[in-house]
Structures are given as C-alpha cells and as structure tokens.
Amino acid sequence: MQANGAAAAAGEEPAGSGCLSAHNGESSEPAHSNGVLSSNNGLSGTGSTGSTGPTEQPGGRKKKRLSQADEDVIRLIGQHLHGLGLNQTVDLLMQESGCRLEHPSATKFRNHVMEGEWDKAENDLNELKSLVHSPHAVAACRPSSGGSGSEHSPTSCPTADVIRRMKFLLLQQKYLEYLEDGKVLEALQVLRCELTPLKYNTERIHVLSGYLMCSHADDLRAKAEWEGKGTASRSKLLDKLQTYLPPSVMLPPRRLQTLLRQAVELQRDRCLYHNTKLDNNLDSVSLLIDHVCSRKQFPCFTQQVLTEHCNEVWFCKFSNDGTKLATGSKDTTVIIWQVDPDTHQLKLLKTLEGHAYGVSYLAWSPDDNYLIACGPDDCSELWLWNVQTGELRTKMSQSHEDSLTSVAWNPDGKRFVTGGQRGQFYQCDLDGNLLDSWEGVRVQCLWCLSDGKTVLASDTHQRIRGYNFEDLTDRNIVQEDHPIMSFTISRNGRLALLNVATQGVHLWDLQDRVLVRKYQGVTQGFYTIHSCFGGHNEDFIASGSEDHKVYVWHKRSELPIAELTGHTRTVNCVSWNPQIPSLMASASDDGTVRIWGPAPYVDNQEFEEECSSMNS
C-alpha cells in the first residue's frame, strides 16, 4: 500500500504503516533517537508498507523495497533489542532499514507513562484516538485485569469507549501512586473529579475508594495486588494499554519472545516421544536447532524382569506417589515393590499372603496407606491391607454367592465401592461395613470421580453409567457395541480409556460423551486387559495385548509409536508411574513383571549427545 501523498504533505501518518521512506532528502517530522523511534539517515517521513520497487541511495546504489514480512521482523528485532537496552543498535537498525519501531504518538505516550507524567499521557490519548480503530487491531477492546470492564469485541466497541477505558487505567495508576506517596488529598481529588465522572466500572471505583483506609504503603500494595510506584507497575500498565492499540501503532509486549515460545511449544507438541516437562523459559532450550526427543529416552527398553511370582501375573499398579509397585498373581499373592528414587530399580519390599483366590485387581488408597485386593469371578471376598505394616485390616464378604472383582476408592480415602458380574454393587467403609448398595448392577469395572459423589461402572450391557449414591440417580455416559472389559479415567476426569472386546482400545470424552479415537495394533479378545494413561501430562497411552506385546500410543495418534516385546504370553496389565514419566510396568501370563525405561547408557559422550538432541 502506497503512502498517501496528501497525508504526507499534511504531516499526518497512516496508522497501518510500519516503515519510513525518505523523499528527496527532506523530512516531514523531526528525527528521534531514543531507541524507540528512529530515522533513516537522519530523515523520517510518512510510511510505505508493502510497496514495490527499489529506492535510490547515495552513490547510485539501489536499495530493494522491504516486504511486509521483512518490516515485521525488523520491528520485532528492534523491540527485543530495545528491551535489552541496546538503543543505539536499534537506532542504527531503523535508520538503515527505513523502518520505525512504533508510531510517534505511541512513543510519546509510552515515555509519558513510564515517567509518570499522567496529564501529558492523558493528552496523548487524543492523538491516539484516530489510531484505535485500525483494521490491524487484534484486541482493541480486550478487558484488562483489575476490573477494567466487561468484554467487548473490537467491532462493537466505540472509539470513545476504548479511550475511556484507557483513561480509567491511567487514572487508576495515578490514584494509587498518590496514595503510596501519602498524598491523600490529591488521590481523593483524582477519585472524585477524574475517575468517578468517567462513569465507568463503578464497582472498581468503590474498591479503589477502600484503599484510602490503608495505613501504610505495604498495606496498599498488598490489598491492591499492585507492585507499587515505579517501573514494574508502569510497565504492566503499558502492557494493558497496548491491548487497545493495533500492532501497527505499538507492538504487543515482548512479541518476539512470545513467537519463539509458541514455536518451541509447537515443536514439543509435534514431538512423538516428548516425555519431560518443558520449561517455558527460552533459556532452557536451544533456538538454533529443532526440538527432537529420541526414542532412547522413552520407556521402550526392559530395565528389569521381576520373576518372584510363580504363576500368571494378572495385575500391576504403581502407588499414587510413585514410590511403590503392587502386583497381583494367580499364585494368590500380592507383592509390594519399592522403587529406588535415584536408579528407578525395583526391589521386593513385602509379600502379602493369605488370599483364597488369585489376585486379579488392586487399588491403592488416595494416601497410599492401604491396598485393596480383589479376586476373579468366583471370588466373594476382598482384602484390605495396611501397606505400611503388611497387616490385613479387613477381609470383607457380604455373601458366599457374591462376586467382588473390582474396587475403587472414594477420594476421601474413607470409603470404597466394590462389585462384580453377579449383580453386587456396594459402598463400604474401611472396616468393611456396608454403607449403601445398588441392586441389579452387573459390574465389570469401577471408578470414583473426584466430586466424591459419582461412581462410574461398566456393566454387562456394554456401557458405562454414572451412579450417585447420595441422591440415588444414575445416567448413561458411554455406550459401546461390544463388551467393555476394563476402563480407566484420566487424572483430570475428562477422558476414559476403554479396552473393548474384539475392538481394542478406545478413547472417550466423558464431558461431550463422544468417542474420540480408536487405537490400532493391539490384539484384544475376551480376556480382561488393563490399559493406562501415562507420561508427562498423561500425553501417552499404553496397553497390554494378547499377542504378547505392550503397545504405546501418543494420545493424539491412532498408530502406536512403540511396540514393546519381551513377554512370551498375554500381557494383562500396564501401569505407568505417575511421578516418574520414564518408568512403566507390565504384567503377563508368562509369570513375569517387566519394568520399562529409557535405553541404558554405556558411554557418557553418547548420553550427552542424546540429551543435547532433546533440547529440554
């Protein structure tokens, strides 16, 4: 877009212009050299954005016109350098490129705000008024914090209202600074004669008036949640004010850092094996190479094979704090394993014996002090163990005809629900006393939601229903076309992971009640196989399989990212350590429990190179 010649002659500046163009060595406005607004070889004039064709430079050399993208990049770099205090470098960059960092009215406004010259800053708003409704504005009427008003879209927000909001923010800062300086009369004058007449956000004005009662500056800063008079609070104020101005007038704060952070986050999200927390601080990554996590850092490699069980291992589960692993077997024993916090190696801690049947399901209490063990379909008992002492606290059985094959703890740790396929569905206390029961529900698997009221139960009708034991209501949540052999719920309670007979692993959104994804690869017949969420932020899913493998998927991808081999019979259960994202366990009919972790490093240089490639 070419600059308007008439506007240039009148000394006016097009709002959408980001660069300056010199005309025959003459300048239509004085040159600035403050690291924010710069001139081109001492000359500045009206902008020209996206224009084509070269310009003549001294000595007959022709300079290529910059594209809009080039101009944007130069402004971003200039803003970043200015933030580092390299103002002379910014001046030189702007002079040589012919660009300007921001509109001169915005520069003047910025300086007056940072210097606390509130009357001048308020007058600057009149100059900015014509620039507020630029088509490039991205958030002209976005509300800022501190009670600045209700939300409006840029198109529905009149210019006068935007200026009024900006003026309110300026006067609010002015009022608070007067209060901190002990100038109560001046602050009261601002409140009564400047803020109140704006007739804007009276609720906030009432809050501000309450600050008059603050006895000292520290009390004011604490109640107002304000940094106090100075650079920090004024910079935050500028960040809020900028949201009302288009980026062609004033760049969003720290825009280059924001873009770089977004790029790093996008690379992390696209990284199949990313399984560590990524610090949002850009200093924690290299911007010179792409973010890539190696498969060698992922729990794809056998670290240990636990062989202490003497029959099929039906279940395994890490404790909530990640320090222990419990495994249950057809040999009627439960083994508690201790996880070494440094080496992540497991060692046998204690064996819990005395079960009349094999152990097919285990559930840790929320505080990890207790462990409940259930048996197969013909088992009418469940055992509640004190993990610390290894003593049996409760052996519960309501009837010899019961089938108690699944259990789930209430979040309060004082109750649990249990049931089975013969129609039993009980809620009990830690002593096994029956608190409530639900008749006629043939339970396959159970889960208590975090609200402490709702229990999810899969049943023989190929569905998951929600049961509320307080008001005795129930509702359908998930409906499948095939039997649901087991399910588990994500930490945030939003997603359900189902192992469905002959179908495999399905992911459901419980809130929207829709099937999100069907994961491919796993062999699932009518055996009960338990899958799990895991990894950092529960970004991954793992499941056993009847083809003797452990399958791992990224939550967003239907195809497995890893197929782990080593077991020689059906893998019944997989558990991912909730505190150590690189540690996973699997239990199999081959009588073993395999512990999976990153590849072992035998060469320090290789380890360093691998870590370097991860960039995290």
Side-chain angles (χ1 to χ4, degrees), residues 217-250:
D218 290 339
D219 187 28
L220 170 67
R221 288 192 288 267
K223 289 184 177 179
E225 297 179 354
W226 179 60
E227 293 81 0
K229 178 180 178 180
T231 302
S233 63
R234 291 172 183 175
S235 295
K236 186 173 287 188
L237 171 64
L238 264 178
D239 288 351
K240 293 177 183 179
L241 292 168
Q242 185 280 325
T243 63
Y244 295 92
L245 296 172
S248 57
V249 175
M250 182 185 288

Side-chain angles (χ1 to χ4, degrees), residues 270-290:
R270 291 181 176 179
C271 178
L272 284 180
Y273 297 107
H274 183 79
N275 193 30
T276 57
K277 183 177 181 180
L278 187 64
D279 194 337
N280 287 331
N281 186 351
L282 291 176
D283 291 336
S284 66
V285 299
S286 171
L287 300 177
L288 305 182
I289 55 177
D290 287 344

Side-chain angles (χ1 to χ4, degrees), residues 525-536:
F526 288 89
Y527 288 112
T528 299
I529 293 176
H530 299 272
S531 55
C532 67
F533 294 96
H536 176 66

Side-chain angles (χ1 to χ4, degrees), residues 123-137:
N123 290 332
D124 294 337
L125 290 179
N126 295 325
E127 296 183 26
L128 293 171
K129 187 182 299 184
S130 62
L131 306 176
V132 166
H133 266 319
S134 166
H136 299 290

